[in-house]
Amino acid sequence: MVAFLLWLLLLVFCWPIALLAIVLYPIVWLLMLPFRLIGITMTAVFSLLGAMLMLPARVLRGRPA
C-alpha cells in the first residue's frame, strides 16, 4: 500500500514536469538547429583543411625512393 501511495505521489509531482518537457522539447530543438548546422559546417571545414594540409605528406610517403 505504501508503494502505491508513493507512486501516486510521484504522479502528482511529475506530470507537470512531463507535460512541460513534451511542450518545450520541439521549441528547444528548433532553437538548437542553427547551432547544429554550424557545428556540421565547421567539422566539414576543418576536415577539408586537414586533408589539404596532409596531402603533401601522403603524396611524398606514397612515392618510391
Side-chain angles (χ1 to χ4, degrees), residues 33-54:
L33 190 59
F35 297 108
R36 293 183 65 191
L37 293 175
I38 290 170
I40 291 168
T41 304
M42 288 291 119
T43 302
V45 167
F46 286 131
S47 295
L48 178 64
L49 288 174
M52 289 170 59
L53 290 174
M54 293 297 164

Side-chain angles (χ1 to χ4, degrees), residues 5-17:
L5 290 176
L6 287 175
W7 276 111
L8 288 179
L9 188 65
L10 185 67
L11 173 70
V12 167
F13 282 121
C14 291
W15 73 266
I17 297 170

Side-chain angles (χ1 to χ4, degrees), residues 2 11 19 23 28-30 32-33 38 42-43 46 51 55-56 58-59 61 65:
V2 174
L11 173 70
L19 285 178
V23 169
V28 171
W29 186 84
L30 283 174
M32 295 297 290
L33 190 59
I38 290 170
M42 288 291 119
T43 302
F46 286 131
L55 183 63
R58 288 183 180 204
V59 170
R61 187 174 42 197

